[in-house]
Amino acid sequence: MDMIEHLKSIRKEIDTMIQEASSLDELHQLRIDYLGKKGPITEALRSMKEIEPSERPKVGQFANDLKQTMTAMIDEREAFYQQKALDQQLKQDAIDVTLPGETVKTGYSHVLHQVITEIEDLFLAMGYEIQSGPEIETDYYNFKRMNIPENHPARDMQDSFYIDNEHLLRTHTSPVEARAMDQHDFSKGPLKMISPGKVYRRDDDDATHSHQFTQIEGLAVGKDLGMSDLKGTLELFARKMFGEDREIRLRPSYFPFTEPSAEIDISCFNCGGKGCRICKYSGWIEILGGGMTHPNVLAMDGLDPNEYHAFAFGLGPDRVAMLKYGIDDIRHFYQNDLRFNHQFKERG
């Protein structure tokens, strides 16, 4: 049998096997067996040296045409099975559009956000505005403008996360007060603002402290403000947040940016001041701190302390939420445990 007749028999054999192939795997194996480097067509081309020189062009042309034809036939058959597999997959994955859809779950705000919003609404109703500032703060605004110069002992109370010599993660939202005073035009009236936001300190050694927590600082600057205004403001806050029968007391304290300064306690909402585990049997719960803004802080903003007076206060929404809802570990707020979060979805 001459070479061309041999190649024709190979074509007939491959044609039959392609038609009988029932899967992509079988077609892939046919491609390797007949068109690969060790296949009969390749072997025929390698034996061209044994053919008469005058026959070589004819045989070579026939072999190459056969290889292209067989390749096209296998490609066509593979495309058929690929489409068949796709049609079957689409049929299996078909969606019955008449079935009822899944209910979209409505989200709700985090308990801390709920408490912050409640506090914001209260102070907005009292004529305060809400101010915000950068969480990466300068040493100048975070400490110096708060009457805490370099090497001041009060800095040890706020062990900090420094980024470089001049920048740190803010340790309180008090810098927002300084920035607000810089921007406020006091010729048009007093300034009343609160500044909610996250703050950072290296303070996470027990269940009531965290290296990150939220804080709301408040400031009122005018010409006729005194401690009585501060007391009345915080008394209203305590009653709105913890019940209308709450009382507050002010205890002398120290803050670098207020003078005089006070720790503010509320009468225990659990026992009404009689003494219980929550208030450590004292009848009072420490809730925040405040005082009259230090004259140095006013002077650094260019205000005359003899003409202008101000009061400031700072509270932690984390602590407010813990007391209000009986939460025993501050870390619950930041662990994204849905078992914890879902307890407050009705309050959002």
Side-chain angles (χ1 to χ4, degrees), residues 180-192 221-223 301-304 307-308:
M181 286 193 290
D182 287 347
Q183 299 170 4
H184 188 74
D185 185 354
F186 286 96
S187 66
K188 295 182 179 180
L191 169 65
K192 296 169 66 180
V221 185
K223 295 186 176 182
D301 191 62
L303 298 176
D304 183 355
E307 181 180 2
Y308 286 91

PDB file of all heavy atoms in Angstrom, residues 180-192 221-223 301-304 307-308:
ATOM      1  N   ALA A 180     -12.711  74.313  66.659  1.00  0.00           N
ATOM      2  CA  ALA A 180     -13.981  75.026  66.527  1.00  0.00           C
ATOM      3  C   ALA A 180     -13.855  76.474  66.992  1.00  0.00           C
ATOM      4  O   ALA A 180     -14.418  77.392  66.373  1.00  0.00           O
ATOM      5  CB  ALA A 180     -15.063  74.296  67.322  1.00  0.00           C
ATOM      6  N   MET A 181     -13.118  76.682  68.081  1.00  0.00           N
ATOM      7  CA  MET A 181     -12.916  78.060  68.562  1.00  0.00           C
ATOM      8  C   MET A 181     -12.114  78.873  67.552  1.00  0.00           C
ATOM      9  O   MET A 181     -12.364  80.069  67.369  1.00  0.00           O
ATOM     10  CB  MET A 181     -12.231  78.052  69.927  1.00  0.00           C
ATOM     11  CG  MET A 181     -13.149  77.634  71.069  1.00  0.00           C
ATOM     12  SD  MET A 181     -12.465  77.984  72.713  1.00  0.00           S
ATOM     13  CE  MET A 181     -11.144  76.783  72.794  1.00  0.00           C
ATOM     14  N   ASP A 182     -11.147  78.223  66.893  1.00  0.00           N
ATOM     15  CA  ASP A 182     -10.370  78.934  65.877  1.00  0.00           C
ATOM     16  C   ASP A 182     -11.255  79.427  64.739  1.00  0.00           C
ATOM     17  O   ASP A 182     -11.015  80.505  64.171  1.00  0.00           O
ATOM     18  CB  ASP A 182      -9.286  78.009  65.298  1.00  0.00           C
ATOM     19  CG  ASP A 182      -8.138  77.775  66.268  1.00  0.00           C
ATOM     20  OD1 ASP A 182      -8.052  78.511  67.273  1.00  0.00           O
ATOM     21  OD2 ASP A 182      -7.327  76.857  66.019  1.00  0.00           O
ATOM     22  N   GLN A 183     -12.270  78.645  64.393  1.00  0.00           N
ATOM     23  CA  GLN A 183     -13.089  78.968  63.232  1.00  0.00           C
ATOM     24  C   GLN A 183     -14.313  79.825  63.572  1.00  0.00           C
ATOM     25  O   GLN A 183     -14.910  80.426  62.674  1.00  0.00           O
ATOM     26  CB  GLN A 183     -13.557  77.659  62.565  1.00  0.00           C
ATOM     27  CG  GLN A 183     -12.420  76.782  62.057  1.00  0.00           C
ATOM     28  CD  GLN A 183     -12.887  75.411  61.627  1.00  0.00           C
ATOM     29  OE1 GLN A 183     -14.088  75.117  61.633  1.00  0.00           O
ATOM     30  NE2 GLN A 183     -11.952  74.544  61.254  1.00  0.00           N
ATOM     31  N   HIS A 184     -14.677  79.890  64.846  1.00  0.00           N
ATOM     32  CA  HIS A 184     -15.918  80.577  65.219  1.00  0.00           C
ATOM     33  C   HIS A 184     -15.725  82.087  65.274  1.00  0.00           C
ATOM     34  O   HIS A 184     -14.701  82.590  65.754  1.00  0.00           O
ATOM     35  CB  HIS A 184     -16.404  80.063  66.581  1.00  0.00           C
ATOM     36  CG  HIS A 184     -17.755  80.575  66.962  1.00  0.00           C
ATOM     37  ND1 HIS A 184     -18.912  80.118  66.382  1.00  0.00           N
ATOM     38  CD2 HIS A 184     -18.140  81.528  67.862  1.00  0.00           C
ATOM     39  CE1 HIS A 184     -19.945  80.745  66.914  1.00  0.00           C
ATOM     40  NE2 HIS A 184     -19.503  81.609  67.821  1.00  0.00           N
ATOM     41  N   ASP A 185     -16.721  82.805  64.793  1.00  0.00           N
ATOM     42  CA  ASP A 185     -16.734  84.265  64.868  1.00  0.00           C
ATOM     43  C   ASP A 185     -17.552  84.665  66.096  1.00  0.00           C
ATOM     44  O   ASP A 185     -18.784  84.663  66.070  1.00  0.00           O
ATOM     45  CB  ASP A 185     -17.350  84.849  63.595  1.00  0.00           C
ATOM     46  CG  ASP A 185     -17.286  86.374  63.569  1.00  0.00           C
ATOM     47  OD1 ASP A 185     -16.871  86.978  64.583  1.00  0.00           O
ATOM     48  OD2 ASP A 185     -17.662  86.958  62.536  1.00  0.00           O
ATOM     49  N   PHE A 186     -16.852  85.009  67.183  1.00  0.00           N
ATOM     50  CA  PHE A 186     -17.547  85.284  68.445  1.00  0.00           C
ATOM     51  C   PHE A 186     -18.284  86.612  68.424  1.00  0.00           C
ATOM     52  O   PHE A 186     -19.104  86.872  69.303  1.00  0.00           O
ATOM     53  CB  PHE A 186     -16.553  85.238  69.607  1.00  0.00           C
ATOM     54  CG  PHE A 186     -16.129  83.835  69.965  1.00  0.00           C
ATOM     55  CD1 PHE A 186     -14.962  83.297  69.448  1.00  0.00           C
ATOM     56  CD2 PHE A 186     -16.907  83.045  70.784  1.00  0.00           C
ATOM     57  CE1 PHE A 186     -14.572  82.010  69.758  1.00  0.00           C
ATOM     58  CE2 PHE A 186     -16.530  81.754  71.103  1.00  0.00           C
ATOM     59  CZ  PHE A 186     -15.361  81.231  70.581  1.00  0.00           C
ATOM     60  N   SER A 187     -18.015  87.432  67.421  1.00  0.00           N
ATOM     61  CA  SER A 187     -18.779  88.687  67.316  1.00  0.00           C
ATOM     62  C   SER A 187     -20.227  88.420  66.915  1.00  0.00           C
ATOM     63  O   SER A 187     -21.093  89.289  67.075  1.00  0.00           O
ATOM     64  CB  SER A 187     -18.118  89.612  66.291  1.00  0.00           C
ATOM     65  OG  SER A 187     -18.196  89.054  64.980  1.00  0.00           O
ATOM     66  N   LYS A 188     -20.482  87.206  66.417  1.00  0.00           N
ATOM     67  CA  LYS A 188     -21.834  86.860  65.990  1.00  0.00           C
ATOM     68  C   LYS A 188     -22.584  86.039  67.042  1.00  0.00           C
ATOM     69  O   LYS A 188     -23.720  85.620  66.803  1.00  0.00           O
ATOM     70  CB  LYS A 188     -21.770  86.076  64.682  1.00  0.00           C
ATOM     71  CG  LYS A 188     -21.228  86.894  63.524  1.00  0.00           C
ATOM     72  CD  LYS A 188     -21.230  86.087  62.235  1.00  0.00           C
ATOM     73  CE  LYS A 188     -20.709  86.920  61.067  1.00  0.00           C
ATOM     74  NZ  LYS A 188     -20.694  86.160  59.785  1.00  0.00           N
ATOM     75  N   GLY A 189     -21.944  85.791  68.186  1.00  0.00           N
ATOM     76  CA  GLY A 189     -22.640  85.077  69.228  1.00  0.00           C
ATOM     77  C   GLY A 189     -21.787  83.992  69.850  1.00  0.00           C
ATOM     78  O   GLY A 189     -20.648  83.743  69.427  1.00  0.00           O
ATOM     79  N   PRO A 190     -22.316  83.311  70.876  1.00  0.00           N
ATOM     80  CA  PRO A 190     -21.559  82.280  71.590  1.00  0.00           C
ATOM     81  C   PRO A 190     -21.394  81.012  70.748  1.00  0.00           C
ATOM     82  O   PRO A 190     -22.042  80.828  69.716  1.00  0.00           O
ATOM     83  CB  PRO A 190     -22.413  82.008  72.832  1.00  0.00           C
ATOM     84  CG  PRO A 190     -23.806  82.360  72.402  1.00  0.00           C
ATOM     85  CD  PRO A 190     -23.663  83.517  71.448  1.00  0.00           C
ATOM     86  N   LEU A 191     -20.504  80.155  71.222  1.00  0.00           N
ATOM     87  CA  LEU A 191     -20.267  78.860  70.590  1.00  0.00           C
ATOM     88  C   LEU A 191     -20.780  77.767  71.523  1.00  0.00           C
ATOM     89  O   LEU A 191     -20.425  77.724  72.704  1.00  0.00           O
ATOM     90  CB  LEU A 191     -18.768  78.661  70.333  1.00  0.00           C
ATOM     91  CG  LEU A 191     -18.323  77.252  69.911  1.00  0.00           C
ATOM     92  CD1 LEU A 191     -18.911  76.881  68.549  1.00  0.00           C
ATOM     93  CD2 LEU A 191     -16.807  77.153  69.889  1.00  0.00           C
ATOM     94  N   LYS A 192     -21.611  76.874  70.988  1.00  0.00           N
ATOM     95  CA  LYS A 192     -22.087  75.703  71.735  1.00  0.00           C
ATOM     96  C   LYS A 192     -21.944  74.500  70.818  1.00  0.00           C
ATOM     97  O   LYS A 192     -22.580  74.443  69.766  1.00  0.00           O
ATOM     98  CB  LYS A 192     -23.545  75.883  72.155  1.00  0.00           C
ATOM     99  CG  LYS A 192     -23.779  77.030  73.137  1.00  0.00           C
ATOM    100  CD  LYS A 192     -25.257  77.328  73.303  1.00  0.00           C
ATOM    101  CE  LYS A 192     -26.007  76.199  73.955  1.00  0.00           C
ATOM    102  NZ  LYS A 192     -27.460  76.510  74.118  1.00  0.00           N
ATOM    103  N   VAL A 221     -19.063  78.464  74.942  1.00  0.00           N
ATOM    104  CA  VAL A 221     -18.248  79.661  75.160  1.00  0.00           C
ATOM    105  C   VAL A 221     -19.138  80.885  74.988  1.00  0.00           C
ATOM    106  O   VAL A 221     -19.799  81.050  73.956  1.00  0.00           O
ATOM    107  CB  VAL A 221     -17.073  79.746  74.163  1.00  0.00           C
ATOM    108  CG1 VAL A 221     -16.183  80.947  74.494  1.00  0.00           C
ATOM    109  CG2 VAL A 221     -16.259  78.455  74.161  1.00  0.00           C
ATOM    110  N   GLY A 222     -19.181  81.741  76.012  1.00  0.00           N
ATOM    111  CA  GLY A 222     -19.968  82.965  75.949  1.00  0.00           C
ATOM    112  C   GLY A 222     -19.468  83.961  76.976  1.00  0.00           C
ATOM    113  O   GLY A 222     -18.368  83.813  77.526  1.00  0.00           O
ATOM    114  N   LYS A 223     -20.286  84.950  77.278  1.00  0.00           N
ATOM    115  CA  LYS A 223     -19.842  86.003  78.202  1.00  0.00           C
ATOM    116  C   LYS A 223     -20.461  85.878  79.585  1.00  0.00           C
ATOM    117  O   LYS A 223     -20.016  86.553  80.512  1.00  0.00           O
ATOM    118  CB  LYS A 223     -20.170  87.377  77.599  1.00  0.00           C
ATOM    119  CG  LYS A 223     -19.396  87.667  76.320  1.00  0.00           C
ATOM    120  CD  LYS A 223     -19.622  89.082  75.829  1.00  0.00           C
ATOM    121  CE  LYS A 223     -18.763  89.393  74.611  1.00  0.00           C
ATOM    122  NZ  LYS A 223     -18.929  90.782  74.134  1.00  0.00           N
ATOM    123  N   ASP A 301      -6.728  80.947  72.245  1.00  0.00           N
ATOM    124  CA  ASP A 301      -7.587  81.177  71.090  1.00  0.00           C
ATOM    125  C   ASP A 301      -7.785  82.667  70.825  1.00  0.00           C
ATOM    126  O   ASP A 301      -8.534  83.040  69.933  1.00  0.00           O
ATOM    127  CB  ASP A 301      -8.947  80.512  71.307  1.00  0.00           C
ATOM    128  CG  ASP A 301      -9.776  80.493  70.038  1.00  0.00           C
ATOM    129  OD1 ASP A 301      -9.333  79.873  69.050  1.00  0.00           O
ATOM    130  OD2 ASP A 301     -10.856  81.118  70.019  1.00  0.00           O
ATOM    131  N   GLY A 302      -7.128  83.506  71.619  1.00  0.00           N
ATOM    132  CA  GLY A 302      -7.246  84.946  71.416  1.00  0.00           C
ATOM    133  C   GLY A 302      -8.432  85.576  72.115  1.00  0.00           C
ATOM    134  O   GLY A 302      -8.781  86.723  71.829  1.00  0.00           O
ATOM    135  N   LEU A 303      -9.054  84.840  73.045  1.00  0.00           N
ATOM    136  CA  LEU A 303     -10.189  85.379  73.787  1.00  0.00           C
ATOM    137  C   LEU A 303      -9.723  85.917  75.130  1.00  0.00           C
ATOM    138  O   LEU A 303      -8.841  85.347  75.775  1.00  0.00           O
ATOM    139  CB  LEU A 303     -11.248  84.297  74.012  1.00  0.00           C
ATOM    140  CG  LEU A 303     -11.894  83.689  72.758  1.00  0.00           C
ATOM    141  CD1 LEU A 303     -12.850  82.576  73.151  1.00  0.00           C
ATOM    142  CD2 LEU A 303     -12.631  84.754  71.947  1.00  0.00           C
ATOM    143  N   ASP A 304     -10.306  87.009  75.566  1.00  0.00           N
ATOM    144  CA  ASP A 304      -9.984  87.605  76.855  1.00  0.00           C
ATOM    145  C   ASP A 304     -10.712  86.836  77.957  1.00  0.00           C
ATOM    146  O   ASP A 304     -11.949  86.869  78.024  1.00  0.00           O
ATOM    147  CB  ASP A 304     -10.416  89.078  76.862  1.00  0.00           C
ATOM    148  CG  ASP A 304     -10.031  89.782  78.162  1.00  0.00           C
ATOM    149  OD1 ASP A 304      -9.519  89.113  79.083  1.00  0.00           O
ATOM    150  OD2 ASP A 304     -10.261  91.006  78.254  1.00  0.00           O
ATOM    151  N   GLU A 307     -13.419  88.555  79.822  1.00  0.00           N
ATOM    152  CA  GLU A 307     -14.664  88.874  79.119  1.00  0.00           C
ATOM    153  C   GLU A 307     -15.453  87.617  78.767  1.00  0.00           C
ATOM    154  O   GLU A 307     -16.685  87.597  78.890  1.00  0.00           O
ATOM    155  CB  GLU A 307     -14.345  89.658  77.845  1.00  0.00           C
ATOM    156  CG  GLU A 307     -15.576  90.061  77.048  1.00  0.00           C
ATOM    157  CD  GLU A 307     -15.225  90.835  75.782  1.00  0.00           C
ATOM    158  OE1 GLU A 307     -14.020  91.024  75.513  1.00  0.00           O
ATOM    159  OE2 GLU A 307     -16.163  91.233  75.054  1.00  0.00           O
ATOM    160  N   TYR A 308     -14.728  86.582  78.349  1.00  0.00           N
ATOM    161  CA  TYR A 308     -15.386  85.351  77.934  1.00  0.00           C
ATOM    162  C   TYR A 308     -15.203  84.262  78.990  1.00  0.00           C
ATOM    163  O   TYR A 308     -14.158  84.164  79.625  1.00  0.00           O
ATOM    164  CB  TYR A 308     -14.818  84.856  76.602  1.00  0.00           C
ATOM    165  CG  TYR A 308     -15.279  85.669  75.412  1.00  0.00           C
ATOM    166  CD1 TYR A 308     -14.547  86.767  74.974  1.00  0.00           C
ATOM    167  CD2 TYR A 308     -16.450  85.337  74.734  1.00  0.00           C
ATOM    168  CE1 TYR A 308     -14.963  87.515  73.886  1.00  0.00           C
ATOM    169  CE2 TYR A 308     -16.881  86.077  73.643  1.00  0.00           C
ATOM    170  CZ  TYR A 308     -16.134  87.163  73.227  1.00  0.00           C
ATOM    171  OH  TYR A 308     -16.561  87.908  72.155  1.00  0.00           O
TER     172      TYR A 308
END
